[in-house]
Amino acid sequence: MVRAVNAERQAAGLPAYKIDERLMAVARAHAQDMARRGYMAHTTPEGRSYSDRLAATGIEPAWRGENIMLSVSPAEEAVEESLTWWLDDPPHRDNILHPQHTHIGVGVAQRPEGWYVFVMDLVKY
């Protein structure tokens, strides 16, 4: 996913994202939570936002964005489907190609039905 996103950024004349392990952990935890509890939202049922999740890990970005996606496709197609959907949707595409974002974290989890939950967290420090 990160390679494909960076290829899109390069095609748009933007620098590649740097993978951030803290963002990877935040994205993975949110994907796992959504998969386990069966919801799809940027905010948890308790009201914990993306900003709250970042702050809890000490991340205080100057810019931030988050994309989430549920894919019912098989594993080999789910990444491509999610990225294609994000790139075809203007607000999600804008997040991916935002010139202020510099770092990326991606998380994926599988729901009991076999569906995949993706979270892409983007920031600028």
Side-chain angles (χ1 to χ4, degrees), residues 43-55:
T43 302
T44 68
E46 299 79 27
R48 194 165 181 224
S49 70
Y50 174 43
S51 295
D52 295 334
R53 293 189 306 276
L54 291 176

Side-chain angles (χ1 to χ4, degrees), residues 8 15 22 25 40 50 52 59-60 63 84 87 100 119 122:
E8 290 292 329
R22 293 183 306 165
M40 285 298 296
Y50 174 43
D52 295 334
I59 298 173
E60 296 181 15
W63 292 88
T84 298
L87 291 170
Q100 294 296 326
V119 175
L122 308 163

Side-chain angles (χ1 to χ4, degrees), residues 8-76:
E8 290 292 329
R9 285 182 64 84
Q10 182 179 14
L14 297 167
Y17 281 118
K18 296 176 183 107
I19 294 174
D20 185 291
E21 291 305 322
R22 293 183 306 165
L23 278 179
M24 295 291 271
V26 170
R28 185 174 41 253
H30 190 50
Q32 290 170 343
D33 186 53
M34 287 190 293
R36 187 180 78 252
R37 298 200 294 163
Y39 72 95
M40 285 298 296
H42 296 284
T43 302
T44 68
E46 299 79 27
R48 194 165 181 224
S49 70
Y50 174 43
S51 295
D52 295 334
R53 293 189 306 276
L54 291 176
T57 60
I59 298 173
E60 296 181 15
W63 292 88
R64 69 184 182 290
E66 182 176 64
N67 290 342
I68 62 174
M69 178 71 179
L70 176 68
S71 175
V72 299
S73 295
E76 57 274 3

